[in-house]
Amino acid sequence: WVGSLSMGMIFFCSPIVSIFTDIFGCRVTAVCGAAVGLVGLLASSFVKTLGMMYFTYGIVFACGCSFAYQPSLVILGHYFKKRLGLVNGIVTAGSGIFTITLPFILSGLLDKVGLQNTLRIFCVLMLVLILASFTYKPLLPAKPTESQIGGFRISRIFNKNIWKSVGYRIWAFGIPAALYGYYVPYVHLMNHVQERFGPGTNKEILLLCIGITSCLGRFIFGSVADFVKGANKVFLQVISFLIIGVMSMMIPLCHIFGGLIAVCLLMGLFDGCFICIMAPIAFELVGAKDVSQAIGFLLGLMSVPMVAGPPIAGFLRDKLGSYDMAFYLAGIPPIIGGILLCLIPWVEARNKRKQKKEGLSKEQDISQKMIEHEKAQENAKNKIGDSVL
């Protein structure tokens, strides 16, 4: 529950983080967030009771991580446009690399120095994060002031522009709908393998496969989104959801361990695709000036299915005696979410056609007014000539 609370808080705080990012900028928000995370992690190393661990690790550390995480995605749009997909792939590949290496490092440290000292050692990573956050120098101009109350800009605090985009609204509700089943395999796969193949099975290799291919997927699909002409980032995300949904349904059908390895390789590959193109899609849908709150509200909406999905699957396992039905049902939300996202390119194309028509009509109105103005000037000259005569 401490770990679950921590993960939930990281995403739940995202809408608040986006507001702070708009007001104070990426650098200040990230540095302060990393500092709070460092305090929370260091305090957790001295805690002796589980109740205090809920506060220090589940809330303080998680909130600090949330404030440090989101600006790292927003700041990339200030420096990169054409290669934003590849850049996001490179940046987010770090989590894939640590997914592969951290389990081995953690197990060794816990055996040798214990939990408290392990947490203190990992405070070094938070210190590095503070130093790295100082490099976040925004390049895009600040948004114009609309009205000012108490020294804060209302337009910055509550950005309504992101919800005017129909494409963003579909995206912001389609992705959380898909995530109700997305994380079920990541949470319950190890227990399923132990029940199906026995406790002696080398189940850790499945997580290793997911981590490796997820890291590769971020490089591959980030490059595809940038370098392949005609590649639609939304459709790449749709394909990711469809394949992950089908692979989740395939897990109960794998009675050979090698089949599970193949499923995990594919799931990891398209998980990397889903993650690396999230920020580029947000930039395309709402623009660079509004992207902070666009990402923030999306991550906030993602917190509900991330927390609710795996416990529902665990409840089904307790009632039915196996994980089979839980995995079958977990494949349905990603497929539904993927189908919903298919509406975004159609909506965006329709909006562009509408804007183009409005632009042409405006040009025609302007040209008509110019013609009328010229006629009025000629008539005025003729009247002046008549009066002189």
Side-chain angles (χ1 to χ4, degrees):
W1 276 107
V2 172
S4 298
L5 177 63
S6 178
M7 285 299 298
M9 286 298 297
I10 288 174
F11 287 89
F12 184 74
C13 291
S14 295
I16 302 170
V17 177
S18 66
I19 295 172
F20 274 78
T21 303
D22 281 345
I23 295 173
F24 300 108
C26 293
R27 179 188 290 173
V28 173
T29 304
V31 170
C32 293
V36 171
L38 174 61
V39 171
L41 192 61
L42 187 62
S44 299
S45 68
F46 294 98
V47 166
K48 300 294 183 182
T49 61
L50 191 60
M52 282 300 297
M53 187 70 79
Y54 282 113
F55 176 72
T56 58
Y57 190 90
I59 295 178
V60 178
F61 172 67
C63 289
C65 289
S66 182
F67 275 76
Y69 170 64
Q70 192 177 319
S72 70
L73 299 179
V74 175
I75 195 65
L76 297 178
H78 289 249
Y79 288 84
F80 302 94
K81 291 181 181 178
K82 291 183 179 180
R83 302 290 176 256
L84 188 57
L86 177 60
V87 169
N88 271 275
I90 294 170
V91 171
T92 57
S95 61
I97 294 170
F98 274 83
T99 300
I100 300 166
T101 57
L102 265 184
F104 301 101
I105 297 171
L106 277 172
S107 59
L109 287 173
L110 288 171
D111 290 338
K112 292 181 180 180
V113 299
L115 176 62
Q116 279 75 22
N117 289 325
T118 299
L119 293 175
R120 290 164 195 162
I121 290 171
F122 275 93
C123 287
V124 176
L125 291 178
M126 298 303 297
L127 183 61
V128 171
L129 188 56
I130 293 173
L131 298 176
S133 300
F134 277 107
T135 65
Y136 295 178
K137 182 182 179 181
L139 298 181
L140 295 177
K143 288 185 284 188
T145 304
E146 290 181 9
S147 60
Q148 196 162 347
I149 294 178
F152 291 113
R153 295 173 183 177
I154 291 176
S155 61
R156 281 185 165 192
I157 296 174
F158 299 107
N159 190 345
K160 297 179 181 179
N161 291 332
I162 60 174
W163 300 107
K164 292 178 182 178
S165 169
V166 180
Y168 175 76
R169 292 204 298 265
I170 297 171
W171 190 60
F173 290 101
I175 287 183
L179 293 183
Y180 276 98
Y182 189 93
Y183 285 100
V184 169
Y186 296 94
V187 175
H188 295 289
L189 182 60
M190 297 296 100
N191 291 333
H192 169 73
V193 171
Q194 192 167 347
E195 290 181 1
R196 176 68 61 86
F197 298 100
T201 308
N202 187 15
K203 55 185 181 294
E204 288 79 11
I205 195 172
L206 297 177
L207 289 178
L208 190 66
C209 291
I210 292 174
I212 291 172
T213 53
S214 178
C215 188
L216 289 174
R218 299 173 200 208
F219 287 110
I220 294 170
F221 289 102
S223 301
V224 168
D226 290 335
F227 293 101
V228 177
K229 290 185 178 180
N232 191 302
K233 297 180 179 66
V234 174
F235 283 136
L236 288 176
Q237 208 162 53
V238 169
I239 294 169
S240 300
F241 281 139
L242 295 178
I243 291 178
I244 287 173
V246 172
M247 290 300 104
S248 179
M249 293 179 174
M250 290 290 293
I251 289 173
L253 302 176
C254 294
H255 296 280
I256 301 173
F257 192 71
L260 270 181
I261 291 176
V263 166
C264 289
L265 289 171
L266 275 173
M267 286 184 69
L269 188 68
F270 286 94
D271 171 74
C273 175
F274 160 66
I275 291 171
C276 78
I277 57 177
M278 272 182 58
I281 290 175
F283 275 95
E284 286 187 358
L285 291 177
V286 302
K289 290 183 179 179
D290 299 324
V291 76
S292 175
Q293 292 200 29
I295 294 174
F297 278 102
L298 175 68
L299 295 177
L301 292 169
M302 285 169 56
S303 66
V304 177
M306 283 182 66
V307 175
I312 293 172
F315 174 79
L316 290 173
R317 156 66 182 81
D318 293 339
K319 291 295 182 181
L320 302 176
S322 73
Y323 284 103
D324 291 0
M325 184 55 66
F327 286 124
Y328 288 136
L329 294 177
I332 296 174
I335 293 173
I336 293 174
I339 294 171
L340 285 175
L341 296 185
C342 289
L343 297 172
I344 296 176
W346 175 74
V347 168
E348 290 295 306
R350 188 189 66 176
N351 288 340
K352 286 180 180 178
R353 287 195 298 269
K354 186 178 178 181
Q355 290 173 0
K356 191 175 181 180
K357 287 181 180 178
E358 290 177 353
L360 289 173
S361 63
K362 285 181 180 178
E363 287 179 2
Q364 290 173 355
D365 291 340
I366 292 169
S367 59
Q368 185 66 30
K369 287 179 180 178
M370 290 177 67
I371 292 170
E372 292 175 356
H373 181 67
E374 289 176 358
K375 285 182 177 179
Q377 285 181 337
E378 289 179 2
N379 291 334
K381 287 179 180 178
N382 291 333
K383 286 180 180 179
I384 291 169
D386 292 341
S387 64
V388 169
L389 289 171

